[in-house]
Amino acid sequence: MSPDGGEEAGGAMSREEAARLLRQRLEMGATEVFLDGMTRAEALSMLTRAPRRATVPPPAVSATPVAARPATSSASAPALPEEYDDLRAMAMACTRCRLAEGRTQVVFSDGPSQARLMVVGEAPGANEDETGLPFVGAAGKYLDLLLATVGLSRAESVYIANVLKCRPPGNRNPLPDEIEACSPFLRRQIDLVRPEALLAVGSFAGQLLTGRERVSLGDLRGTVHSYHGVPLVVTYHPAALLRNPNWTRAFWSDLQLLRGVMDGAGGA
Ligand code: URA
């Protein structure tokens, strides 16, 4: 439930949560935040009133072994399998970061692994954690609908995965060490699925796949990038569209861009 991404938080955010989100955005180098239902003055006042340390909670650390262990850096993590099924099995048993402790299920992917398009989101929300499938909540249903408007059937042509495979508590933003621990799975998934095109929804997926961590979503969208030779379009997260319908036109124009790339790549 980041301002431009993530799933339903299940109600209005408290001031503390909103301040924490804004601060996380700034710490990640965001140059732009979307103020949904809040004035610029209100947002600034929240940021200046709360002491920085007090509102950025440290990663949840509990007495259990998984939570106490820091997220493993990709440098020291075991090598990832070359086979898709082995990769999935490894992810399903993953304890690389603290999120393993609170999850109900690992959310690896949905859709055919020979899909033409791969959509990359942020992280599972409550519905996804419950079902083990990405994008099954309101945002997911909206995504399915929007993809269908450019002739892309989720069931037949789309493979979906997230930057994080486990739900962050309370749907908070992914933390940098969680992304570092989990993103090798996504990268290997992309290598193995080798889609004709990638669609990154939301700033976490967009920044990760473009490698441009300080660039705002607004500046990443509207153009075709390349992820290791695979055409990549970055756009708004569907959850953000549900909150800000004004962005739907931009999203749709990004889908047109994507559709054009895929048509150029050969056939519907
Ligand atoms: N939001 C995401 O980014 N991914 C999901 O799977 C669900 C909601």
Side-chain angles (χ1 to χ4, degrees):
M1 50 81 186
S2 56
D4 64 336
E7 186 58 297
E8 314 80 341
M13 269 191 282
S14 69
R15 291 182 76 82
E16 290 70 28
E17 285 170 329
R20 177 164 57 81
L21 285 179
L22 285 170
R23 199 162 285 106
Q24 280 175 343
R25 275 278 187 255
L26 294 175
E27 284 179 353
M28 288 193 67
T31 53
E32 175 181 319
V33 290
F34 299 105
L35 305 175
D36 188 11
M38 195 190 304
T39 65
R40 181 181 154 81
E42 282 170 339
L44 287 173
S45 110
M46 275 196 319
L47 283 170
T48 47
R49 215 176 320 141
R52 202 176 167 81
R53 286 279 159 233
T55 53
V56 182
V61 174
S62 80
T64 69
V66 167
R69 203 180 307 144
T72 314
S73 84
S74 45
S76 59
L80 292 177
E82 299 289 338
E83 296 294 326
Y84 183 88
D85 289 345
D86 296 339
L87 180 73
R88 186 172 188 283
M90 183 188 260
M92 299 307 280
C94 180
T95 56
R96 286 182 177 203
C97 85
R98 65 187 73 80
L99 297 182
E101 193 198 11
R103 73 182 178 222
T104 307
Q105 302 199 53
V106 173
V107 179
F108 187 71
S109 69
D110 187 35
S113 57
Q114 294 81 22
R116 297 188 62 200
L117 171 67
M118 181 163 174
V119 174
V120 179
E122 181 177 313
N127 294 308
E128 290 76 21
D129 178 65
E130 190 67 33
T131 58
L133 293 170
F135 282 103
V136 291
K141 292 191 172 63
Y142 196 39
L143 176 67
D144 297 356
L145 199 69
L146 289 164
L147 289 171
T149 66
V150 290
L152 291 164
S153 146
R154 170 163 175 176
E156 287 163 22
S157 323
V158 185
Y159 179 96
I160 306 189
N162 285 309
V163 171
L164 295 189
K165 307 279 183 259
C166 298
R167 182 190 182 201
N171 295 350
R172 65 154 167 74
N173 282 348
L175 296 176
D177 65 335
E178 294 162 357
I179 296 175
E180 190 190 348
C182 201
S183 57
F185 286 112
L186 175 67
R187 293 186 189 282
R188 182 58 55 87
Q189 266 174 300
I190 298 173
D191 288 348
L192 293 173
V193 172
R194 200 70 198 166
E196 281 171 32
L198 282 158
L199 178 68
V201 296
S203 55
F204 284 93
Q207 290 174 347
L208 180 75
L209 296 185
T210 58
R212 301 175 71 191
E213 288 168 15
R214 296 188 168 272
V215 180
S216 72
L217 185 69
D219 287 340
L220 291 175
R221 61 157 296 274
T223 186
V224 181
H225 306 263
S226 168
Y227 176 83
H228 298 185
V230 182
L232 162 68
V233 172
V234 177
T235 193
Y236 294 111
H237 193 287
L241 301 185
L242 291 174
R243 289 190 296 268
N244 299 280
N246 291 345
W247 294 342
T248 306
R249 185 181 289 270
F251 183 98
W252 203 68
S253 108
D254 294 333
L255 281 187
Q256 298 288 337
L257 189 63
L258 176 77
R259 185 72 241 194
V261 167
M262 294 180 69
D263 288 345

